Amino acid sequence: MTAPVGRRSLEARVSLVLKVGTYAAMALVGLGVALMLASGRSPLDVAPVLDPGSLAADLAALRPSGFLWLGILIVLATPPLRVATALSGYLRAGERQMAVVALLILAVIALGVVVGTSGS
Amino acid sequence: MEIGLLLIAGGIATGLFGSLLGLGGGVLLVPLLTLGFDLPVREAIGVSLVCVIITSAASASVFLDRGMANLRLGMVLELFTAIGALIGGLVAFLLDERFLAGLFALLLVYTAATMLRPRDASAGDGVGGPDADGRGDVAGTVRSRIGEAVSGAGYLVRQPVPGAIGGVGGGILSALLGIGGGLIMVPVMHLLMGVPLRVATATSNVMIGVTASTSALVYLLKGGIDPYATGPAAVGVFVGAAVGSRVVHRVDTRLLRLLFAAVLAYTAILMVQRALVVQ
């Protein structure tokens, strides 16, 4: 028995988000690793902390940390984006229960960000 | 540069063998980083969480395309694994490194034991646990609206409340140890909730991303993720897992499982030693 068309198309959209996020992240991380190795840096060196304000400048200057941080941020953002995609699909389909579930997942992730930021 | 290449090679081996043996990368990657590259346990867990998200996202997309995963069940359960991951992510920074190393040693022993156990004969038949089709003894079946709403073709999801509690536990362990949580969630879904094993495995893969990203964000914001260590490991694990998924059907993994059970048991001893000496 196959799933309803609406459900399958939602799964296809969610799958696309996962694919695009993964490959974009891996391209950036791969570039960052290549730059890191080319510049003679070791994985055991002290790495610069994440500074969102300097990310664009680091990328423009081809600093490995910029590519690595952006890639890692995309990795971490991909699952919440997948949930947000599902949320929009459930809202369009009028599936309120599943939309509430998706919203609660995003709330838990957001709470993690708030708690992580406030405690650091 | 040599250390970077070694870390990429280690990541490839981790991703390859993890894929061949059906293990999440974290079980192999955390010991590799702590024992092989002398990274602090907590930092290794942060690296592992990022790698786990990458490999699970790549395989989850395939499972969703093939209609093998139950997205609705996965989303309901990942609400609870995310709550567990949030708790675990915060607790991890309160615990002593030695405790984390000791806990990981226990995980390795458990994983080694599961690898030595004969594989379930019904593993590939798409049949769930008792009453998987929703007929028969219904005494233990919670026919709640939630259970029915997340059931799939040919099976009724049972016991959503114990499943949710298991999800919180799986999320906590994922965050504390840098693993995906499939070691917990697949048995919870298959044995407790009556989900067919293949669906449980695929659904667990879909859930891992949200579980791991919830705790990884806490690690990131608390300075627990090192980009220089994460990058080469992630590239290696991604490549290794991709190769492993392509050759898994051509490899007889029985001997490999025995060898790895021994390796994991030995690694558990090393982790115990680390638990006893880390400052």
Side-chain angles (χ1 to χ4, degrees):
Chain A
M1 195 167 93
T2 54
V5 173
R7 194 180 291 187
R8 295 293 296 129
S9 72
L10 173 61
E11 288 173 1
R13 279 203 300 277
V14 167
S15 168
L16 182 66
V17 169
L18 291 174
K19 276 192 198 108
V20 171
T22 304
Y23 286 109
M26 286 317 299
L28 286 162
V29 170
L31 196 54
V33 170
L35 290 169
M36 187 181 121
L37 294 178
S39 63
R41 287 185 178 85
S42 161
L44 305 181
D45 288 349
V46 178
V49 294
L50 174 63
D51 176 12
S54 68
L55 212 51
D58 287 342
L59 291 169
L62 295 180
R63 288 190 196 101
S65 59
F67 290 90
L68 291 169
W69 274 129
L70 186 58
I72 290 169
L73 288 176
I74 291 176
V75 170
L76 301 191
T78 298
L81 261 177
R82 185 263 282 174
V83 177
T85 304
L87 170 64
S88 75
Y90 290 132
L91 284 175
R92 270 204 297 269
E95 292 195 47
R96 282 190 300 181
Q97 281 181 332
M98 287 308 299
V100 169
V101 168
L103 211 53
L104 287 173
I105 295 168
L106 291 175
V108 172
I109 295 171
L111 183 63
V113 173
V114 171
V115 173
T117 309
S118 62
S120 59
Chain B
M1 185 162 182
E2 291 81 8
I3 296 175
L5 293 174
L6 274 175
L7 187 48
I8 292 173
I12 290 174
T14 299
L16 177 65
F17 289 114
S19 178
L20 290 178
L21 298 167
L23 293 172
V27 173
L28 305 173
L29 188 60
V30 173
L32 174 79
L33 293 172
T34 52
L35 302 172
F37 292 88
D38 208 26
L39 252 62
V41 178
R42 200 174 287 113
E43 194 174 304
I45 290 170
V47 172
S48 174
L49 284 170
V50 175
C51 294
V52 159
I53 297 170
I54 291 168
T55 51
S56 82
S59 56
S61 66
V62 175
F63 287 133
L64 286 168
D65 283 341
R66 293 179 184 169
M68 291 167 68
N70 183 336
L71 182 62
R72 298 158 75 87
L73 173 62
M75 288 194 64
V76 170
L77 284 178
E78 73 191 2
L79 171 59
F80 297 95
T81 59
I83 291 170
L86 175 56
I87 296 168
L90 294 172
V91 170
F93 283 85
L94 303 174
L95 295 175
D96 194 291
E97 288 253 329
R98 286 175 297 181
F99 180 82
L100 291 174
L103 200 60
F104 207 94
L106 284 177
L107 171 76
L108 290 169
V109 171
Y110 170 75
T111 310
T114 59
M115 292 182 74
L116 289 175
R117 217 168 42 203
R119 304 212 82 177
D120 184 358
S122 68
D125 64 5
V127 178
D131 196 28
D133 60 0
R135 293 172 298 172
D137 178 21
V138 294
T141 302
V142 180
R143 291 189 181 276
S144 66
R145 286 162 67 185
I146 294 176
E148 290 179 6
V150 298
S151 291
Y155 62 93
L156 177 69
V157 172
R158 295 178 287 124
Q159 311 203 66
V161 175
I165 294 169
V168 174
I172 291 174
L173 276 183
S174 164
L176 286 181
L177 302 175
I179 58 174
L183 279 172
I184 307 294
M185 289 318 296
V186 173
V188 163
M189 278 188 273
H190 180 55
L191 300 175
L192 192 64
M193 304 180 78
V195 178
L197 187 57
R198 284 190 177 189
V199 179
T201 306
T203 304
S204 168
N205 247 291
V206 173
M207 294 165 54
I208 284 170
V210 165
T211 311
S213 73
T214 304
S215 51
L217 280 166
V218 176
Y219 274 78
L220 173 78
L221 295 166
K222 289 186 172 293
I225 292 179
D226 182 329
Y228 285 171
T230 303
V235 168
V237 169
F238 183 72
V239 171
V243 173
S245 66
R246 279 164 179 75
V247 301
V248 68
H249 299 298
R250 283 178 258 160
V251 176
D252 182 358
T253 56
R254 280 174 297 185
L255 181 62
L256 204 58
R257 294 177 76 82
L258 284 176
L259 285 173
F260 254 80
V263 170
L264 289 176
Y266 177 66
T267 310
I269 294 168
L270 295 180
M271 287 300 272
V272 168
Q273 283 179 340
R274 181 151 182 127
L276 297 174
V277 300
V278 168
Q279 294 296 310

